[in-house]
Amino acid sequence: MPSKTQPDTKLSVAVIGSGLGGLSAAISLRRAGHQVVLYERYDFGGEVGASLSVASNGSRFLEEWNIDIAAAKPVVLRKLIRHDWKTGEIQGTYPLGDYRERFGTDYNNFHRIDLHQHLKHAATSQLGEGVPAELKTWHKAVDVDPELGRIKFENGNEAVHDIIICADGIRSAMRERIGVLPRIQPSTSCCYRCIISADKLRELGLDEYLSNYAIEFWGGDGIDKIVLSSCSDNNVVSCYCFYPASKNDLREDGWDISTTGENLVATFPDLDEKLKTLFLNAEDIKMWRLYNHEPYEYWVRGRCALLGDAAHPMLPDQSQGACMAIEDAGALGIIFSDQYSHLSIGEQLKLYEMERKSRATKLQEASRRARLDLNERIGWSSKADKPGKLTIEEVCGYDMHQHVAALVAGL
Ligand SMILES: Cc1cc2nc3c(=O)[nH]c(=O)nc-3n(C[C@H](O)[C@H](O)[C@H](O)COP(=O)(O)OP(=O)(O)OC[C@H]3O[C@@H](n4cnc5c(N)ncnc54)[C@H](O)[C@@H]3O)c2cc1C
């Protein structure tokens, strides 16, 4: 079990992967006073053109870390709207009206690329608390030694750190290097995503989607579901469109498989005509396969810990994957703060796993249920009409500082 010689020694931390999770970890740990190096396999941390809603459990940390949220141009969500699949008529609305009062922050809907850029700036900038994280691109990690804290890279370089945070995404290779062998089942669902500009929507007479400040749903009883929202200061509308995998037997993997608006329309023949018009005029239409991962047995080994999708890949139906990655990062910042520096590194990493694993697993399971039933999605599920249903209060009202303190008291 790794230990520190001095209780207040500042640590040298490696973060493998500079996606939303890795960057958040770098911010949180630099603010806690540690020296962070981010290793990214490419020359950038790639993000895709799509929306990303960050509920208060994620936005709370963005605020705590002084991220310039307004500059990242979010649309602040005010409600969830449910439409009739065929006519588009509004069937139900869940108002989020007093959200900030209830949960302490706004429910922010970002363009993913905007948020990624702002997190990267906060992690590496000379401004802000702590020492700026160093970003080393073209450093694809190929092996880790969890006991020695050693990383080997494809380019031949090696590095040794006190802690290694593996934030290398859903297809994490580092996960297997620490002995976690995922059990993965292809989901019965695939998903298209596309975006369309506000100017184009106005041209098409579809500007109604620009003024709702909402996440809007069509379907959701079963596999078929369209999720539409506006982001980037209402200049971009983004759609996720879920459909049965059996329709095109997509076997390729990745975020970058292109398709056409015609294909999208053909997938949903009896859908609201307004959405079909939107699809035919959309840009950047991609599709991807969805997978179910069983929760992993452990997340921590020696000096290594998994974070984000590498630790808890989940279906997107609670819009919580990135929020959970931000929470993971928040937990590291708290646990590796001066307040808990009397613990050894091994104890701190175990505490991280204890704090995070059960909550993230709950979200993983609730996301799987929500894949086929919109009434399981937080917001729509808030009435807790069924035992075990996850509620918006549980997710958005979470106080991690208190939870960590309670866990430490019980150690
Ligand atoms: C359709 C869909 C919609 C979603 N919507 C939402 C939403 O609204 N709200 C929300 O909270 N979440 C949402 N999510 C989930 C969210 O996108 C992910 O959970 C989040 O992006 C995961 O971030 P990450 O940093 O863990 O992984 P990634 O973003 O995958 O980042 C991994 C990084 O590691 C790098 N890397 C990989 N291997 C190596 C290596 N060997 N060495 C070095 N670098 C490496 C990669 O290049 C990448 O930069 C959605 C997901 C999907 C699929």
Side-chain angles (χ1 to χ4, degrees):
M1 185 70 69
S3 62
K4 286 176 286 190
T5 44
Q6 309 255 330
D8 58 352
T9 308
K10 296 298 179 194
L11 302 170
S12 150
V13 184
V15 177
I16 300 176
S18 68
L20 298 170
L23 291 173
S24 298
I27 297 167
S28 180
L29 286 162
R30 85 168 258 192
R31 290 175 56 84
H34 305 294
Q35 178 73 58
V36 181
V37 184
L38 275 155
Y39 296 102
E40 169 57 45
R41 63 181 161 176
Y42 298 137
D43 61 347
F44 65 98
E47 259 311 337
V48 296
S51 62
L52 181 92
S53 64
V54 180
S56 61
N57 57 316
S59 289
R60 192 167 298 132
F61 285 104
L62 302 184
E63 287 193 3
E64 208 170 295
W65 301 334
N66 289 328
I67 304 296
D68 190 349
I69 292 180
K73 300 181 288 184
V75 166
V76 174
L77 298 170
R78 306 275 177 224
K79 55 194 167 201
L80 309 178
I81 298 176
R82 200 164 183 176
H83 294 266
D84 180 77
W85 180 263
K86 289 187 178 166
T87 65
E89 213 171 284
I90 293 181
Q91 290 180 317
T93 301
Y94 174 81
L96 297 161
D98 56 354
Y99 189 86
R100 178 172 265 280
E101 217 170 284
R102 281 160 76 199
F103 302 122
T105 78
D106 291 325
Y107 195 154
N108 294 300
N109 203 42
F110 294 100
H111 193 296
R112 302 179 70 110
I113 293 172
D114 292 335
L115 182 60
H116 189 270
Q117 274 173 1
H118 280 266
L119 291 179
K120 186 170 155 190
H121 176 75
T124 57
S125 167
Q126 291 298 328
L127 302 173
E129 249 176 82
V131 183
E134 188 184 350
L135 173 59
K136 292 196 174 187
T137 54
W138 298 115
H139 273 71
K140 179 177 179 181
V142 289
D143 203 5
V144 284
D145 180 329
E147 300 310 325
L148 298 178
R150 175 171 293 139
I151 315 170
K152 286 187 180 166
F153 299 95
E154 197 178 53
N155 61 15
N157 290 349
E158 285 193 14
V160 178
H161 292 269
D162 295 319
I163 310 174
I164 302 173
I165 304 301
C166 304
D168 51 338
I170 189 164
R171 289 176 208 85
S172 167
M174 296 306 104
R175 192 166 52 208
E176 295 192 17
R177 294 287 178 275
I178 68 162
V180 176
L181 301 177
R183 281 169 291 146
I184 308 169
Q185 287 292 326
S187 155
T188 51
S189 308
C190 286
C191 182
Y192 290 108
R193 69 176 163 83
C194 63
I195 53 170
I196 186 163
S197 71
D199 287 345
K200 191 76 196 172
L201 281 174
R202 285 190 201 100
E203 214 177 278
L204 296 167
L206 296 176
D207 38 335
E208 64 197 85
Y209 301 132
L210 293 168
S211 50
N212 284 336
Y213 296 86
I215 306 183
E216 306 189 41
F217 301 89
W218 285 253
D221 305 314
I223 292 177
D224 283 339
K225 181 169 72 180
I226 312 295
V227 184
L228 175 150
S229 63
S230 175
C231 57
S232 210
D233 273 348
N234 271 324
N235 284 311
V236 175
V237 161
S238 159
C239 286
Y240 292 109
C241 314
F242 298 88
Y243 65 96
S246 55
K247 277 204 174 161
N248 61 2
D249 199 22
L250 178 66
R251 282 168 197 274
E252 279 176 85
D253 220 354
W255 293 74
D256 209 27
I257 312 161
S258 294
T259 187
T260 62
E262 285 74 14
N263 236 343
L264 238 171
V265 168
T267 307
F268 306 107
D270 56 351
L271 182 63
D272 180 357
E273 290 299 325
K274 283 195 265 188
L275 281 187
K276 288 191 193 169
T277 305
L278 185 156
F279 293 160
L280 289 172
N281 291 277
E283 304 150 32
D284 194 21
I285 308 175
K286 307 277 183 191
M287 51 186 178
W288 76 89
R289 193 80 173 83
L290 299 175
Y291 293 91
N292 276 305
H293 284 238
E294 293 298 326
Y296 306 142
E297 217 174 301
Y298 58 90
W299 292 8
V300 168
R301 182 145 195 195
R303 293 173 182 271
C304 280
L306 303 177
L307 177 143
D309 278 5
H312 44 67
M314 57 186 72
L315 289 168
D317 298 86
Q318 298 284 0
S319 307
Q320 275 289 323
C323 290
M324 284 297 113
I326 295 171
E327 279 196 11
D328 295 344
L332 287 174
I334 296 170
I335 292 167
F336 283 92
S337 68
D338 290 343
Q339 192 177 353
Y340 300 115
S341 63
H342 57 285
L343 301 173
S344 70
I345 292 176
E347 285 167 336
Q348 284 167 305
L349 288 177
K350 277 293 166 204
L351 183 60
Y352 163 74
E353 179 177 300
M354 216 195 290
E355 205 284 333
R356 296 302 308 142
K357 197 168 173 304
S358 58
R359 179 161 162 91
T361 302
K362 213 185 247 187
L363 261 300
Q364 251 178 329
E365 284 162 2
S367 299
R368 191 183 302 204
R369 294 197 300 274
R371 176 71 296 274
L372 298 177
D373 181 0
L374 187 55
N375 293 314
E376 292 275 355
R377 196 221 185 258
I378 57 162
W380 298 117
S381 72
S382 62
K383 284 196 252 43
D385 49 6
K386 203 168 84 184
K389 235 183 197 186
L390 196 67
T391 63
I392 196 166
E393 288 77 15
E394 226 174 319
V395 175
C396 299
Y398 182 57
D399 184 341
M400 189 186 289
H401 289 271
Q402 202 177 50
H403 188 202
V404 173
L407 288 173
V408 173
L411 278 179

